[in-house]
Amino acid sequence: VLPGHFPGTINMPFTSFLDSSGKHLGTETLSKLFKEAGVDLEKPLWTSCGSGVTACHVILAAYRLGYSGLGLYDGSWGEFFKRAPPGYIIAEEQGKKE
């Protein structure tokens, strides 16, 4: 599976929610991160990552800010890459072949 992302997504690496000791940042900083990334937490939010595990940090951060409507696509990029038509694959390299 090539590295890539879903069409229309915002990339927020789970490490951006952690301080230097590995603990989650405070809610004021988390709120600022979401706002700066352009995430509208008034709308439903779904997350994903390479395997469906680290995306849980995004859900936890949004939950701590009081938001609901949170979902995890546990099939992750790996499943999407295998099942989606080539036109829906935005890969960092050459993309998916027919």
Side-chain angles (χ1 to χ4, degrees):
V1 175
L2 296 172
H5 60 274
F6 301 89
T9 59
I10 297 171
N11 184 23
M12 296 186 77
F14 81 95
T15 54
S16 65
F17 299 109
L18 308 176
D19 67 17
S20 60
S21 70
K23 294 180 182 177
H24 261 251
L25 298 169
T27 54
E28 185 175 313
T29 305
L30 292 174
S31 181
K32 183 179 176 185
L33 287 173
F34 280 110
K35 185 175 183 174
E36 288 175 352
V39 176
D40 183 355
L41 289 172
E42 296 298 317
K43 296 179 179 177
L45 174 73
W46 65 271
T47 66
S48 187
C49 58
S51 63
V53 177
T54 57
C56 293
H57 284 275
V58 181
I59 291 174
L60 177 59
Y63 178 81
R64 288 183 57 216
L65 294 173
Y67 295 99
S68 60
L70 305 169
L72 170 68
Y73 174 36
D74 62 350
S76 70
W77 175 249
E79 180 182 87
F80 184 80
F81 185 87
K82 290 177 188 174
R83 294 179 181 216
Y88 286 97
I89 301 296
I90 302 170
E92 305 303 322
E93 296 175 18
Q94 61 187 352
K96 184 177 179 180
K97 303 291 182 198
E98 296 277 345

